Amino acid sequence: MIDLQLHSTASDGSFSPADLVFQAKEIGLTAIALTDHDTVSGVPEFMDAGRRAGIHVVPGVEISVDTPLPNHGHMHILGLFIDPQSAGLIDKLEYLQTERNRRADKILEKLHGLGLSVTREELLAEAGEGSIGRPHIARIMVRRNFVGTIADAFEKYLKKGGPAYVDKVKLGEEDAIALIKDAGGLAILAHPHLMNFDTFEGTREKILALREMGLDGFEVHYSGMPQEYSEKLLALASEYDLAVSGGSDFHGENKEGIHMGTGTGNLDIPDSVYFQLLNRWQNTRNTGGRKK
Ligand code: AMP
Ligand code: ZN
Ligand code: FE
């Protein structure tokens, strides 16, 4: 079993990169990827711990993408096997961090206007070294009894379209994919069903457009993805020679009910998914993809 979407304290997960590795080792996972939001700052610790634990560790990142989508859908693109030292990548991610902090301030202003005051200091303390995200704000809101649970905080205030929601500054599709490829990684569309297209045809068209921009594949193994939908994705992958990935999207205690490896309970991603991705990555490097 493998898990190629994990979040650490480097962004909005509750466990350190090394802790994620220890837990993965304990439950017997073969391969894991660290995919923090808009940052690779946890990658060195993760790789180090992985080597010592003797499990396959994939350096990754999850980038939020700006593109028009229906029904408050959102698009995230994962970079797997990226080089965390890539200057272009680090530069762009730093810019996104600055914008994230600015956005967090705006969310706090909105909450203040709703009579729910959280200070900047509290938020910085909550995020620690990590890149600030809405889950950090949600945690504080729970602690203060503004809401009962993290899910409540999103449902009532923080979700897209909610009264305290503020858009993030994001890269465009083409830029995000190019950034990942220039950093030597595979560009993988995360949880495609969350783009919220009304029909599969919408998903299909979007994926084929992304493929023209260099997309390597997409997640198919993900808790909550309707089975009929994942079957259609698998067919699309084989029709267009796109790679398949998957993960739990584990955030530790910051996302209730999601477990490493098993997701909401039934996820069980075969090792072959990892080895196929590894193979593809090695091939793109040998045949000189965009770089190297
Ligand atoms: P941000 O990067 O600040 O936009 O926050 C995105 C993070 O919030 C992602 O990691 C999501 O998993 C998390 N998130 C989004 N919606 C919810 C929800 N309803 N309950 C818990 N976490 C959520
Ligand atoms: Zn997250
Ligand atoms: Fe995501």
Side-chain angles (χ1 to χ4, degrees), residues 10-140:
S11 66
D12 56 2
S14 71
F15 296 108
S16 72
D19 275 342
L20 292 177
V21 172
F22 301 146
Q23 289 180 35
K25 177 82 182 171
E26 201 160 292
I27 61 177
L29 297 184
T30 306
I32 52 175
L34 184 69
T35 58
D36 276 309
H37 300 279
D38 305 331
T39 181
V40 290
S41 69
V43 167
E45 178 186 321
F46 184 73
M47 300 306 284
D48 222 55
R51 271 179 223 115
R52 272 183 280 140
I55 69 176
H56 294 272
V57 278
V58 180
V61 65
E62 181 174 26
I63 296 177
S64 302
V65 172
D66 190 17
T67 188
L69 289 170
N71 311 312
H72 293 310
H74 62 264
M75 182 189 288
H76 291 169
I77 298 183
L78 299 165
L80 296 181
F81 304 99
I82 42 103
D83 170 8
Q85 317 239 359
S86 152
L89 183 68
I90 290 172
D91 215 51
K92 204 56 143 252
L93 295 180
E94 249 163 39
Y95 157 75
L96 292 174
Q97 289 311 320
T98 312
E99 292 301 327
R100 257 180 185 278
N101 294 346
R102 235 185 272 211
R103 171 218 195 198
D105 285 339
K106 288 189 198 156
I107 294 178
L108 295 189
E109 270 170 42
K110 283 197 167 181
L111 284 173
H112 183 73
L114 294 162
L116 306 171
S117 290
V118 169
T119 65
R120 190 155 201 264
E121 289 65 38
E122 262 176 297
L123 180 56
L124 289 175
E126 185 67 36
E129 301 280 291
S131 105
I132 294 176
R134 285 175 290 164
H136 297 121
I137 300 176
R139 267 172 82 126
I140 298 173

Side-chain angles (χ1 to χ4, degrees), residues 5 7 37 62 74 76 190-191 222 249:
Q5 198 185 151
H7 298 263
H37 300 279
E62 181 174 26
H74 62 264
H76 291 169
H191 38 66
Y222 194 95
D249 209 350

Side-chain angles (χ1 to χ4, degrees), residues 163-180:
Y165 181 77
V166 177
D167 261 330
K168 236 182 327 205
V169 169
K170 299 174 194 152
L171 300 183
E173 300 161 325
E174 206 147 10
D175 287 348
I177 292 172
L179 189 64
I180 290 165

